[in-house]
Amino acid sequence: MRLETLTVHTGRPVEPGTGAVTPSITLATTFERAADGSFAHDVYTRLSNPNRTALETALTTLEGGTAAIAFASGQAAAAAMLHSLSTGDHVLLSDDLYHGVRHYVKEVLARWGLQYDFVDMQDVGNIAHALKPNTKLVWLETPSNPRLKIVDIAAAADIAHRVGALVLVDNTWATPVFQHPFQLGADVILHSTTKYLGGHSDVLGGALILREAGELEARIRTLQQLGGGVPSPFDCWLILRSLPTLPLRVREQARSAEKIAFYLSEHPRVEVVHYPGLPSHPGHAMAQKQMACFGGMLSFQIHGGQAEAFAMIAQLKIFTRATSLGGVESLIEHRASIEGADSPTPPNLLRVSIGLEHVDDLIDDLAQALG
């Protein structure tokens, strides 16, 4: 079945007994054992729950993996993947990536003996040069957050696999609608399901999807169950509810984002636009090769610095000044001030998540704010 059909039906069978076409929410925290002591159903909701099982089934199917493991947030999913490594292991990460992962590696896991390096993976030669005998994981974001760098997933996977390292791709921005990392050699896919999969800015969640079942799945499942960072049944239900509209939402958002990126690229007050759909973007050709569309995220740098950036977004009427992305409303934020004092993001950069408003209204709003 094609993706549009899968998003409607996977994890959403008609319920036996009631005939309900929408899954029920199972709020129970514990489940009855059979008289002989066996478990006929789930045991305890921290360990498993019908709603979480349905969501994990759907995510496995949409990404073409063998297993999905859901968490209470994207950061919890990222932490579990990193905790699956051992003291003394080395992880190689994109230099431009979600700041929460950067801080967690540097401020928490480094104290536990995890070794790490951040490199610009736009040139996969940098990956080859930075690998070490103890490199166990190569962490890619493509497109990256917030400068939308593009990494050649297939080439990166080939290089990493030569030394026995796993490859994780954060597919949050591209979604399974636009990019298929498993087909390009990735071993693990990360999602902040808060974003496009949830799609309505009303639910927090994350997930790891694995290409192959085995020892890694068992390790991460143990971290999920013993660590307890699991999504609630209602959160799982909300994300599953949103999946049927995912292809429609992200394709419309991508169409609008591309039009807005071209508009901004020609504006005299804009220094540079970061969007892989622009022919001027250094990753344009690779994005064309490994993505079905360029996505609904972009960032741009306004001439000047932080003061000019804040002054510009203060004039916006339709865009909401807020963190996060992937919802139906368009958001804009000054990224460096979110990331903290050691942020590598330029102080004049604004990150934009395009929503489902009419694109001409969004352009008009940007036009009046830019002056």
Side-chain angles (χ1 to χ4, degrees), residues 260 263 315-319 358-371:
I260 290 168
Y263 165 76
Q315 301 303 313
L316 291 166
K317 309 300 182 185
I318 297 175
F319 285 86
H358 195 288
V359 63
D360 291 341
D361 289 332
L362 295 175
I363 289 176
D364 288 346
D365 195 27
L366 289 167
Q368 63 85 21
L370 285 165

Side-chain angles (χ1 to χ4, degrees), residues 219-232:
R219 265 186 287 155
I220 295 174
R221 186 73 68 183
T222 297
L223 289 164
Q224 178 205 44
Q225 295 176 347
L226 296 184
V230 296
S232 73

Side-chain angles (χ1 to χ4, degrees), residues 22-361:
T22 299
S24 300
I25 304 172
T26 304
L27 296 176
T29 57
T30 190
F31 302 84
E32 185 181 37
R33 298 175 70 162
D36 63 1
S38 63
F39 295 102
H41 308 286
D42 294 285
V43 178
Y44 188 66
T45 280
R46 175 167 53 79
L47 305 179
S48 62
N49 172 277
N51 296 109
R52 191 159 84 239
T53 298
L55 176 61
E56 291 177 344
T57 298
L59 296 178
T60 300
T61 301
L62 295 184
E63 285 290 13
T66 60
I69 305 168
F71 293 88
S73 67
Q75 185 71 349
M81 186 65 209
L82 291 165
H83 278 281
S84 74
L85 303 174
S86 300
T87 299
D89 285 348
H90 176 255
V91 58
L92 193 62
L93 305 103
S94 301
D95 67 334
D96 190 54
L97 84 168
Y98 173 56
H99 76 289
V101 172
R102 179 191 308 277
H103 286 301
Y104 196 72
V105 168
K106 294 172 66 175
E107 297 174 17
V108 178
L109 295 184
R111 294 189 288 108
W112 293 4
L114 184 71
Q115 299 177 23
Y116 64 89
D117 284 296
F118 297 95
V119 299
D120 186 351
M121 295 185 178
Q122 293 179 109
D123 179 354
V124 293
N126 292 336
I127 299 175
H129 292 143
L131 290 175
K132 299 180 179 181
N134 60 333
T135 301
K136 301 300 181 184
L137 178 63
V138 176
W139 189 294
L140 313 181
E141 269 195 22
T142 180
S144 70
N145 181 3
R147 282 179 278 184
L148 292 103
K149 294 183 178 182
I150 302 297
V151 182
D152 184 337
I153 297 173
D158 180 62
I159 292 168
H161 290 159
R162 290 178 202 168
V163 299
L166 295 172
V167 173
L168 176 146
V169 175
D170 187 330
N171 208 33
T172 299
W173 282 24
T175 80
V177 180
F178 296 149
Q179 187 166 263
H180 304 288
F182 286 148
Q183 296 179 11
L184 299 170
D187 303 291
V188 183
I189 293 172
L190 169 70
H191 276 285
S192 171
T193 54
T194 308
K195 310 304 192 296
Y196 286 104
L197 301 188
H200 294 78
S201 302
D202 58 6
V203 59
L204 200 65
L208 295 169
I209 302 97
L210 308 181
R211 186 177 65 180
E212 297 180 2
E215 196 268 336
L216 178 62
E217 179 193 354
R219 265 186 287 155
I220 295 174
R221 186 73 68 183
T222 297
L223 289 164
Q224 178 205 44
Q225 295 176 347
L226 296 184
V230 296
S232 73
F234 184 50
D235 289 347
C236 294
W237 185 91
L238 282 171
I239 296 166
L240 191 66
R241 172 217 59 180
S242 297
L243 292 181
T245 62
L246 175 68
L248 299 174
R249 287 186 283 107
V250 298
R251 286 175 181 145
E252 185 64 25
Q253 287 164 320
R255 278 192 287 268
S256 294
E258 185 167 5
K259 187 172 181 180
I260 290 168
F262 274 96
Y263 165 76
L264 289 171
S265 71
E266 298 173 351
H267 198 285
R269 287 199 62 199
V270 174
E271 179 182 313
V272 62
V273 178
H274 304 283
Y275 185 71
L278 294 173
S280 58
H281 189 283
H284 178 68
M286 181 51 60
Q288 283 184 310
K289 181 179 179 181
Q290 68 185 21
M291 298 179 70
C293 201
F294 302 112
M297 295 296 299
L298 62 93
S299 62
F300 66 98
Q301 292 172 240
I302 193 168
H303 283 295
Q306 177 172 301
E308 287 75 14
F310 273 118
M312 179 262 166
I313 61 175
Q315 301 303 313
L316 291 166
K317 309 300 182 185
I318 297 175
F319 285 86
T320 301
R321 298 182 298 275
T323 296
S324 200
L325 58 101
V328 297
E329 62 287 307
S330 292
L331 305 179
I332 190 166
E333 70 170 347
H334 181 259
R335 193 65 194 160
S337 59
I338 290 292
E339 294 179 343
D342 62 345
S343 169
T345 300
N348 62 341
L349 183 141
L350 297 168
R351 193 188 74 176
V352 183
S353 171
I354 301 302
L356 293 177
E357 302 94 341
H358 195 288
V359 63
D360 291 341
D361 289 332

